[in-house]
Amino acid sequence: MPVFSYRAMGADGKARNGQLTANSEAEAFARLRGENLSPFSLKLTQANAKPVGLTRFLPGARRMSEADVEALLGSLAILLRAGADIRTALNVLADDRPELKAVTQKILSGASVELSLSPLFTAADAHLGALIAAGEVRGDLPSGLEAAASVIATRRKIRQQLFEALSYPAFVFITAIAAILMILLVVVPAIAPLLTESEHEMPIYFQVIVWLSQALQASWLYLLAGLIAAVVAVVLGYVYGGLKRQIAGWLIDGPLGSIAAALVYGGYARSLGDMLSRGAGLAEGLRLCQRSVGNEVARERLETVALSVRQGRLVSEGLRSVKGLPRPIIKLAEVGETSGALGQMLARAGEREEADALQKITRLSRLIGPLLIMALGAMIGLIMGGVLTALTDIGSIAGN
């Protein structure tokens, strides 16, 4: 069990130092409070330098990772529910992290928790601060922190599922390309001289294979340079040119647009629904959730929703004017407006769209994998068939 060292103030006003064992900071904090001690420092001992549970943060990182921020928000919520105030909870979790020390200093200077934590979020995560602010205004800060942590956890889960779904087809493709290159660059050059020296005319299909092998050997440096130049051009075009916008438009309007739109607009609906359910204002929620959308084209299309609301129209009317937005989101938004549960209905609609999109991606990846294996296997089979035929000819010539 991890060992924590602590500094605390006793009921008599005297400082106390010591150590105790607990499964987490929250458990250690609760035990100290049960002994009428008010801890203002709580950290793992050097012997337990590898933290467990909610306490594991990357040391020395200049910006906290998404997983670290999620763990921090969850830990803060647990400590607050255990009876700690926000300053004490941050001091408990600081553990020489300059980011958290800066947050504590802002709170001591009178800033709100949402404003103090905002430097930990990226520009696309501004809506997380609104969730925290909504909880702070209601007097239930732990629920706001838990809501923000839940949004991050859901997003990380979606990314993990996407990675798992697409990793198998990518692995099949890379493996097959590597096998083809190995045959053309190693096997074919070793066999071709044997047929040339035998003065036996090579089969036409093997001549094509040899020609591909020789062309690849002669121009591999140029091909590599061209590939690097193409990658650099794509990166520069994506960062500084209009390629990013073109890709964004192709994603939601192209052949796989229904899947991409479900993920993009589903995430928007889920985030907006969470904010409204937690007590955030509609205008602020629309603005922040629109900023959180990563797809540039979709973000611009969602501007009509905020404009429609400012003109006194319903949210569902604004959503209906967004090109490519899944119809179930609009239908559930209408139900939510009728029943007075717009936030819950939007969150449910977003979750359903994201889940359906992930299921489609999983099914598609299961289909693409075998198709890639068949297509690339056929290519490898043709090449190896030519090589084995050439070897058979060499054996026949040697036998004669």
Side-chain angles (χ1 to χ4, degrees), residues 56-355:
R56 186 167 187 170
F57 298 108
L58 297 175
R62 298 184 64 182
R63 174 180 285 275
M64 296 179 69
S65 69
E66 198 172 47
D68 289 339
V69 175
E70 177 194 342
L72 169 65
L73 298 177
S75 297
L76 281 176
I78 291 174
L79 290 173
L80 292 176
R81 292 196 184 282
D85 60 86
I86 185 63
R87 292 185 292 272
T88 302
L90 286 170
N91 284 328
V92 167
L93 297 172
D95 196 18
D96 299 325
R97 292 198 66 94
E99 300 93 340
L100 300 188
K101 291 183 178 180
V103 171
T104 305
Q105 290 300 320
K106 287 186 177 182
I107 291 177
L108 290 175
S109 65
S112 65
V113 176
E114 179 264 334
L115 182 62
S116 302
L117 290 173
S118 59
L120 302 181
F121 304 139
T122 62
D125 289 335
H127 62 296
L128 299 182
L131 289 173
I132 298 173
E136 193 174 9
V137 169
R138 296 196 313 272
D140 190 7
L141 180 57
S143 69
L145 294 169
E146 290 168 349
S150 176
V151 171
I152 298 176
T154 301
R155 185 169 57 195
R156 292 180 61 235
K157 180 180 179 181
I158 290 175
R159 290 177 180 172
Q160 179 66 26
Q161 289 176 329
L162 283 173
F163 174 80
E164 292 175 353
L166 299 178
S167 58
Y168 173 65
F171 173 77
V172 171
F173 180 79
I174 293 174
T175 302
I177 294 299
I180 291 174
L181 291 176
M182 182 66 66
I183 294 172
L184 292 177
L185 293 176
V186 178
V187 178
V188 174
I191 298 174
L194 298 177
L195 281 177
T196 303
E197 294 173 0
S198 66
E199 299 181 354
H200 182 77
E201 183 179 359
M202 291 186 292
I204 185 62
Y205 43 82
F206 189 69
Q207 292 181 25
V208 173
I209 295 174
V210 171
W211 179 83
L212 289 174
S213 175
Q214 292 174 346
L216 186 60
Q217 293 178 71
S219 59
W220 71 268
L221 186 59
Y222 300 102
L223 291 174
L224 180 60
L227 179 61
I228 295 175
V231 171
V232 172
V234 169
V235 172
L236 293 177
Y238 187 84
V239 176
Y240 300 105
L243 184 59
K244 181 178 181 180
R245 180 180 177 81
Q246 294 178 5
I247 294 176
W250 179 85
L251 282 175
I252 60 175
D253 295 331
L256 300 178
S258 61
I259 297 177
L263 285 176
V264 173
Y265 293 122
Y268 168 81
R270 176 177 47 79
S271 298
L272 179 59
D274 286 339
M275 289 186 64
L276 297 180
S277 300
R278 304 284 178 173
L282 178 58
E284 184 70 3
L286 289 171
R287 182 180 67 84
L288 292 176
C289 290
Q290 178 192 341
R291 286 175 50 191
S292 69
V293 175
N295 188 291
E296 182 179 352
V297 175
R299 185 167 61 248
E300 293 179 358
R301 292 177 181 177
L302 288 169
E303 291 179 358
T304 60
V305 182
L307 178 61
S308 176
V309 171
R310 286 197 297 268
Q311 293 174 347
R313 299 176 183 174
L314 297 175
V315 175
S316 59
E317 295 179 8
L319 293 174
R320 188 176 290 108
S321 63
V322 177
K323 178 183 177 182
L325 193 140
R327 310 318 293 178
I329 295 179
I330 301 173
K331 293 297 183 182
L332 286 180
E334 293 174 346
V335 173
E337 289 170 333
T338 302
S339 62
L342 178 60
Q344 292 88 332
M345 289 296 100
L346 281 175
R348 182 181 302 175
E351 292 172 358
R352 286 176 55 181
E353 289 300 316
E354 289 178 327

Side-chain angles (χ1 to χ4, degrees), residues 354-373:
E354 289 178 327
D356 290 344
L358 289 173
Q359 289 180 358
K360 291 179 181 178
I361 291 174
T362 301
R363 290 196 297 266
L364 189 60
S365 67
R366 291 174 180 172
L367 178 63
I368 291 176
L371 289 177
L372 279 175
I373 292 176

